Amino acid sequence: MKVLKLKKHNLNDYLDSLRVWGEVYGPVKQGEKYIYGQLDDLSKLDTKMLRTILPVKKFLMPPKFNTFTFDENKYKAELENIPNRIVFGVHPCEIHGLLILDKFFLERFPDPFYGERRRKTAILGLSCVPDDKCFAKSTNTHYVESGFDLAFNDLDNYYLVWVGSSLGDDLVRIRLDLFEEDIKEKDLKHYMEWRNWRDSQYKLNVNLTAMPDIMELNYSSPVWDELGDKCLSCGACSMVCPTCPCYNMSDQIRPSQFTGKRERTWDSCMFKQFALVAGGHNFREARSQRVRLWYTHKLKAFITEFGKAACIGCGRCIDTCPVDINVKTVVKALKGGK
Amino acid sequence: MANNVYLPEPMRIVRRYDLIDDVRFFQVRPLEMERALQLNYLPGQFMMVSLAGVGEAPFSISSTPSRPGLLEFGIRKVGIITEELFKLKENEVIGVRGPFGNGFPIDKFEKKDLIIVVGGLGAVPLRSLLLYTLDNRDRFGRIFFLYGARRPAEMLFRREFMELKSREDLHSMLTVDKDDTGRWTEQVGLVTALFKNLKDIDPQNTYATVCGPPVMYKFVIDEIIKLGIPKHQILMTLERRMHCGVGKCGHCVIGSIYTCMDGPVFSYWDVMHMKDLI
């Protein structure tokens, strides 16, 4: 993989130049938290923030978007007006989240709505330093080798920049003048020192080994009832989780014009109506069943299907759940801890 | 984008009539004859039917791929989409995409005896299998068809199944829980009572398929198990909420599987070892 250097004071200049390719997004502060926002004003970019409220999936499967427009019975897929976007500041764990979504959406029955957005969204990764809610080292998602176009590694006064794709290379060439190609031995040393230091900064360890077995053994455990009693069914965990892909479909019509659209919106298996069928039967009426499904799908089903859990250790569920139901507390409870 | 799995294909309603009080038969066809003849699917698969402005829902295919050109459905009026569907007449156009799901493992049935057990609306998907096996009669062993409905007026495809009774290469048994007409010529009693008529079953060489209301499964499967048929040779088709048909929207998830892709046909072994299936 090609590796380059970019001096830190050139970052904003570089990102500004990328506007020739597409809209530039990155982490900006909103209230007390952070979001991936459009960087019209690059001074608002925050390169030190740790987690945005919504993960980068919001660009690839927006919370609400139109899949088809139709009149009477002619459907037309909405795939043409998707803009080129550059998202800067995506942390390694989140890029792993994208790799999981890629498998999910692009392997069996490829989803063109995800695929087209993925193709038009340049992912510019950025290294980070964990806080007490990060456990990406436990999930082995704290470094990336693929899934990005460029990856920026923060080393004091410069970035080591990995070029991860053909598009990434094109993006470098937009401002080749800002990059240095000569990686020296001291840069390697510098990187290794930083890496060892960063590894030592992970305070939280959530061991997901053997979770499929543990979930199976806990199928009838009272833990699920206790969690179900606490859960508010708000679905916030699904909204903030980088690997939650579920959605709902609904048709909106404009009767006067005989036209309409088929919209896709985020859904959550925590919602009561999620498994409700016509005729009134609900396959997961109880909250405890729904909480169990959420965790079974993340920590067991994905391992069965794709060989690894659908948890990237980003800490968003820990940060978000109002009643403290998250991967950390659920795994602990299932393993018999308090 | 070459192939959009979500894009409904326009199909014309060719014929529709009521099978029973609230269940209507729909024959549909792609607009072009050539395309209609290319439709391919397996018994046990389903299609997503789309009404622009109303939405989409999954429906089992009731026709057999051995008779190409038309797709048939038996649809119960039970929700928003079916209510609108019931308002449509011949020659109106609806959206259809699919087929989806695994369908029945027809190849494994070759040379084997087959017991098809139906309760109520379960006749819709299993009619596809029955007609398929009859159209390819030389590929299968003995075929037993057991269908139970609550009353004669609630038996789907009643006339068609009555006519099949005259065939010598099919053991067909029809029963109703209660005969309220006084003119019913077939059996009276639960579908489970028909099992006593199954003679000389060689369990290792027999497959059983079941579809019906949830209450039926336990009792029917008990009878099949008594015959000694292995768990993985007992197949059933299940229902869940589905929006996509392609394992994405998540509504039909049960533990580690997507009903729409990994099912809707599951073996009794699947049901035993994957929790929450039924």
Side-chain angles (χ1 to χ4, degrees):
Chain A
M1 202 180 296
K2 194 151 122 186
V3 187
L4 304 164
K5 277 160 73 172
L6 176 76
K7 290 209 169 63
K8 267 191 183 169
H9 62 258
N10 284 328
L11 178 68
N12 283 7
D13 189 11
Y14 177 61
L15 292 177
D16 198 36
S17 306
L18 294 182
R19 297 188 204 280
V20 299
W21 189 80
E23 302 165 358
V24 179
Y25 287 77
V28 295
K29 195 157 194 186
Q30 179 162 296
E32 295 299 303
K33 299 211 168 191
Y34 294 88
I35 61 163
Y36 288 112
Q38 196 161 356
L39 291 173
D40 293 326
D41 176 1
L42 279 163
S43 70
K44 289 196 176 140
L45 172 68
D46 189 318
T47 56
K48 298 291 180 197
M49 76 95 221
L50 212 49
R51 62 178 70 79
T52 53
I53 302 171
L54 294 182
V56 74
K57 77 174 177 185
K58 76 171 186 178
F59 294 103
L60 309 177
M61 42 169 297
K64 178 175 169 178
F65 71 95
N66 192 13
T67 57
F68 292 98
T69 50
F70 53 78
D71 55 42
E72 312 269 348
N73 272 293
K74 179 87 176 143
Y75 296 81
K76 188 175 171 295
E78 288 257 321
L79 288 164
E80 274 149 34
N81 299 318
I82 297 165
N84 281 350
R85 285 191 175 129
I86 293 146
V87 186
F88 175 79
V90 185
H91 293 160
C93 63
E94 267 222 72
I95 294 171
H96 278 275
L98 290 180
L99 290 170
I100 289 168
L101 290 181
D102 286 351
K103 277 183 183 295
F104 184 81
F105 278 113
L106 301 177
E107 283 185 2
R108 271 211 282 182
F109 294 111
D111 183 314
F113 302 105
Y114 177 90
E116 194 61 5
R117 284 178 176 79
R118 181 74 163 109
R119 198 172 66 77
K120 289 188 161 181
T121 307
I123 300 296
L124 274 53
L126 177 64
S127 62
C128 53
V129 180
D131 68 1
D132 58 351
K133 292 168 186 159
C134 295
F135 56 100
K137 198 175 155 193
S138 312
T139 50
N140 199 23
T141 52
H142 55 326
Y143 293 102
V144 273
E145 279 135 30
S146 64
F148 57 86
D149 297 290
L150 295 173
F152 293 67
N153 209 113
D154 184 339
L155 296 177
D156 298 341
N157 61 345
Y158 67 96
Y159 294 105
L160 270 184
V161 182
W162 271 258
V163 184
S165 75
S166 161
L167 172 60
D169 193 57
D170 291 346
L171 295 179
V172 165
R173 281 168 201 283
I174 289 173
R175 285 302 301 274
L176 209 51
D177 60 304
L178 296 178
F179 291 87
E180 297 161 42
E181 294 199 51
D182 57 329
I183 305 295
K184 298 190 181 68
E185 205 182 321
K186 74 171 176 30
D187 296 317
L188 174 71
K189 201 168 156 242
H190 196 172
Y191 174 69
M192 284 314 298
E193 279 168 5
W194 171 84
R195 199 172 151 129
N196 289 334
W197 172 78
R198 178 177 178 256
D199 284 353
S200 72
Q201 297 302 301
Y202 282 92
K203 309 266 186 315
L204 177 60
N205 180 36
V206 180
N207 188 352
L208 300 180
T209 313
M211 276 322 285
D213 295 8
I214 290 165
M215 302 288 297
E216 192 72 42
L217 287 168
N218 272 296
Y219 181 82
S220 308
S221 162
V223 164
W224 299 118
D225 297 321
E226 288 159 24
L227 293 168
D229 284 345
K230 269 182 19 177
C231 176
L232 306 173
S233 287
C234 70
C237 48
S238 300
M239 307 302 134
V240 302
C241 179
T243 67
C244 263
C246 291
Y247 62 78
N248 209 343
M249 303 286 284
S250 66
D251 284 11
Q252 314 288 334
I253 46 167
R254 304 177 68 179
S256 58
Q257 297 167 0
F258 294 102
T259 61
K261 53 189 179 176
R262 180 156 291 168
E263 271 183 353
R264 202 194 265 194
T265 46
W266 285 0
D267 204 347
S268 169
C269 59
M270 292 293 195
F271 293 155
K272 191 170 183 177
Q273 318 88 312
F274 192 76
L276 179 71
V277 294
H281 184 72
N282 193 339
F283 287 93
R284 272 185 298 277
E285 181 88 39
R287 274 203 306 276
S288 58
Q289 293 176 307
R290 301 200 293 273
V291 175
R292 184 173 62 199
L293 177 82
W294 201 97
Y295 284 93
T296 305
H297 204 219
K298 295 277 171 215
L299 306 180
K300 179 170 184 282
F302 264 82
I303 298 178
T304 308
E305 196 176 355
F306 297 116
K308 64 190 294 224
C311 175
I312 57 161
C314 72
R316 280 187 178 82
C317 52
I318 301 174
D319 202 38
T320 303
C321 178
V323 292
D324 209 28
I325 299 173
N326 53 55
V327 173
K328 178 179 83 169
T329 54
V330 170
V331 167
K332 201 170 175 185
L334 291 175
K335 288 185 172 177
K338 283 288 161 199
Chain B
M1 205 55 61
N3 231 342
N4 190 332
V5 291
Y6 300 105
L7 179 68
E9 180 179 352
M11 293 201 192
R12 188 165 57 86
I13 298 174
V14 175
R15 196 173 174 214
R16 41 135 223 173
Y17 58 84
D18 287 343
L19 290 169
I20 61 170
D21 198 23
D22 59 347
V23 180
R24 189 168 288 179
F25 182 68
F26 287 90
Q27 269 183 334
V28 305
R29 210 200 79 172
L31 304 183
E32 302 301 325
M33 186 67 192
E34 205 169 316
R35 164 74 187 127
L37 290 170
Q38 286 166 355
L39 281 179
N40 202 13
Y41 55 92
L42 283 171
Q45 286 193 299
F46 65 93
M47 308 288 283
M48 296 295 297
V49 171
S50 211
L51 293 183
V54 186
E56 276 186 315
F59 296 99
S60 298
I61 306 171
S62 199
S63 49
T64 165
S66 51
R67 301 177 194 178
L70 292 169
L71 280 175
E72 295 171 347
F73 302 95
I75 296 175
R76 186 154 69 105
K77 185 156 78 170
V78 69
I80 296 161
I81 292 165
T82 50
E83 266 175 35
E84 291 302 315
L85 197 55
F86 268 53
K87 292 177 186 164
L88 300 182
K89 299 190 175 68
E90 280 83 0
N91 300 315
E92 294 201 69
V93 175
I94 59 174
V96 180
R97 59 187 179 92
F100 298 120
N102 56 355
F104 285 102
I106 295 286
D107 293 345
K108 289 186 184 163
F109 296 171
E110 296 241 357
K111 307 273 177 276
K112 301 284 196 290
D113 288 353
L114 196 56
I115 305 172
I116 300 173
V117 190
V118 176
L121 212 56
V124 171
L126 289 184
R127 173 179 178 261
S128 176
L129 178 66
L130 175 67
L131 297 182
Y132 183 91
T133 52
L134 293 177
D135 286 354
N136 297 278
R137 193 62 192 86
D138 55 328
R139 286 168 54 194
F140 306 96
R142 292 182 299 167
I143 301 171
F144 300 91
F145 182 65
L146 284 56
Y147 182 8
R150 268 186 290 196
R151 304 178 297 128
E154 289 184 44
M155 179 165 281
L156 271 56
F157 306 103
R158 191 176 67 232
R159 187 185 294 176
E160 182 179 325
F161 292 149
M162 290 295 258
E163 282 168 3
L164 287 177
K165 284 203 58 94
S166 62
R167 285 181 71 137
E168 284 169 8
D169 61 349
L170 172 71
H171 305 270
S172 175
M173 290 167 249
L174 309 176
T175 187
V176 292
D177 297 354
K178 202 189 247 175
D179 173 26
D180 52 2
T181 64
R183 288 180 283 114
W184 179 247
T185 55
E186 306 305 310
Q187 317 273 337
V188 176
L190 296 175
V191 74
T192 42
L194 301 175
F195 277 78
K196 63 178 184 295
N197 303 321
L198 300 177
K199 299 278 189 263
D200 308 319
I201 298 294
D202 172 9
Q204 294 300 322
N205 282 311
T206 303
Y207 272 84
T209 62
V210 191
C211 188
V215 290
M216 193 190 85
Y217 283 95
K218 188 187 177 311
F219 300 103
V220 167
I221 285 164
D222 281 351
E223 293 296 329
I224 299 170
I225 294 284
K226 272 189 226 161
L227 294 172
I229 297 173
K231 293 185 285 285
H232 65 278
Q233 288 175 205
I234 304 170
L235 300 162
M236 51 197 88
T237 129
L238 303 184
E239 177 206 5
R240 282 296 184 280
R241 178 168 167 185
M242 297 171 188
H243 283 299
C244 71
V246 290
K248 305 282 188 274
C249 81
H251 290 86
C252 72
V253 159
I254 311 166
S256 305
I257 59 122
Y258 289 85
T259 313
C260 70
M261 273 200 309
D262 306 302
V265 176
F266 293 98
S267 73
Y268 183 51
W269 161 246
D270 293 331
V271 170
M272 281 178 70
H273 94 110
M274 290 192 285
K275 297 177 173 94
D276 291 340
L277 230 49
I278 57 172

